[in-house]
Amino acid sequence: MVLAVVGLAVRQDVEEWWLARQACGGAVPREVIDARMPDDARLLPAEEKLIEETGWYRCDLRFEEPGGGRDQVLHVVATTDQEEQGEILYDTFEFNESWSWRGQVPEGLPGILQVNDTLQLLIDCPALGKDAKGSPRKLLVRSGIGPWSGESAPPELAKSAASLANEASRRLGCGAEPLKPPTGKVYREPRPLAPKQAAGTPCAWTARADLPAGARVSVSGTRTSHAVRCDLHWGAKFRDPKVMLSAYYGDWGKRLRFDDDGRIFPGAVQARCRGEAVIFKAATEPDASVTEKQLRVLAQSFARAELRQRGC
């Protein structure tokens, strides 16, 4: 009986090891699975689907608890279809004037954190060439882990996002430069920093800007993200930003210049970067005490820094 019990335990361990090794093309680090699963849970086979004709890939990995309930270890959905990408990206930033996407991701991840705690990465695909308009083809990857609480995400969110993006690139023939596992944290809300602390981020320019004494800046996006924000704070407790500056890279962002009635948003301008559109937007809170001239100077400083950093 003892031998039978030991044999069963060994067999379950071997089976779980095999499932973990095969999950999502072997792209899931084992420590990610161990961190997301309760001790008494059972890993289930990954659910994968690849549609090469439309450039679409999905993988879901779940576990089962002793009582029969199931929960998610992680998931990823990726597409190279430009029309689908455009709709997804527009939906993400459509209500941008409410500034609802505010998350901080570590440098090395070319993307943003969506409001549903999913990392959204947009990556160039050199192996897929350019579209009929001459724009480079891209890979849009959305990945997440099971529910997490607190201000910062567990480190496995960023680590698995990079691995899964690399696997999606391989499966869909993207040919992207592999992403390295990031070392920083993912935060639901960016931490307001003193401008000098923003060095190495898209908001490093604020250290040279004419800001009120004690002002802070919160950074959303990275130097390779398809969307970037620099929110400027001052006043009590640095809660709501007073000035909000954002940039959106890619022809998909052209629609963000306009409202539902086809009118151009105040403070929105369009430029070009490496053959694609980039949209810059600037806005202030009513109580910010910022003049139109001051906002224009800040917006120009932000845009010039972005274009220079990206080699546009």
Side-chain angles (χ1 to χ4, degrees), residues 19-212:
L19 291 176
R21 184 177 181 181
Q22 298 298 308
C24 306
V28 184
R30 181 60 201 244
E31 59 266 33
V32 171
I33 296 176
D34 292 340
R36 300 307 303 168
M37 282 183 56
D39 291 338
D40 55 353
R42 182 174 67 91
L43 188 66
L44 298 172
E47 300 174 15
E48 287 189 89
K49 188 172 184 179
L50 174 67
I51 307 177
E52 294 181 350
E53 295 78 10
T54 59
W56 191 87
Y57 172 71
R58 181 182 185 113
C59 184
D60 289 282
L61 186 60
R62 295 181 173 87
F63 63 82
E64 183 178 63
E65 297 180 293
R70 296 188 177 191
D71 209 338
Q72 193 172 69
V73 177
L74 54 81
H75 72 275
V76 62
V77 182
T79 179
T80 58
D81 183 86
Q82 289 177 292
E83 186 173 342
E84 182 179 3
Q85 289 177 4
E87 292 302 319
I88 293 170
L89 292 167
Y90 180 70
D91 288 344
T92 301
F93 303 106
E94 177 183 10
F95 301 107
N96 181 54
E97 294 309 300
S98 66
W99 307 99
S100 58
W101 68 278
R102 293 192 68 222
Q104 183 177 333
V105 301
E107 286 294 333
L109 283 183
I112 57 102
L113 181 69
Q114 296 182 220
V115 292
N116 62 354
D117 294 339
T118 296
L119 282 171
Q120 182 189 94
L121 310 181
L122 190 62
I123 304 166
D124 287 341
C125 290
L128 297 181
K130 298 182 179 181
D131 63 15
K133 297 180 181 179
S135 298
R137 299 279 303 280
K138 299 179 185 293
L139 171 69
L140 179 64
V141 184
R142 291 169 291 160
S143 63
I145 57 177
W148 52 277
S149 59
E151 295 181 359
S152 64
E156 53 264 25
L157 173 60
K159 189 168 186 177
S160 63
S163 296
L164 292 169
N166 292 339
E167 176 63 13
S169 172
R170 185 185 71 82
R171 292 287 187 98
L172 297 174
C174 173
E177 186 74 22
L179 299 177
K180 297 179 181 179
T183 57
K185 291 185 177 181
V186 176
Y187 292 89
R188 280 200 177 100
E189 292 283 336
R191 299 161 298 162
L193 306 171
K196 289 183 179 180
Q197 294 177 306
T201 76
C203 305
W205 61 272
T206 57
R208 303 180 298 276
D210 183 15
L211 300 175

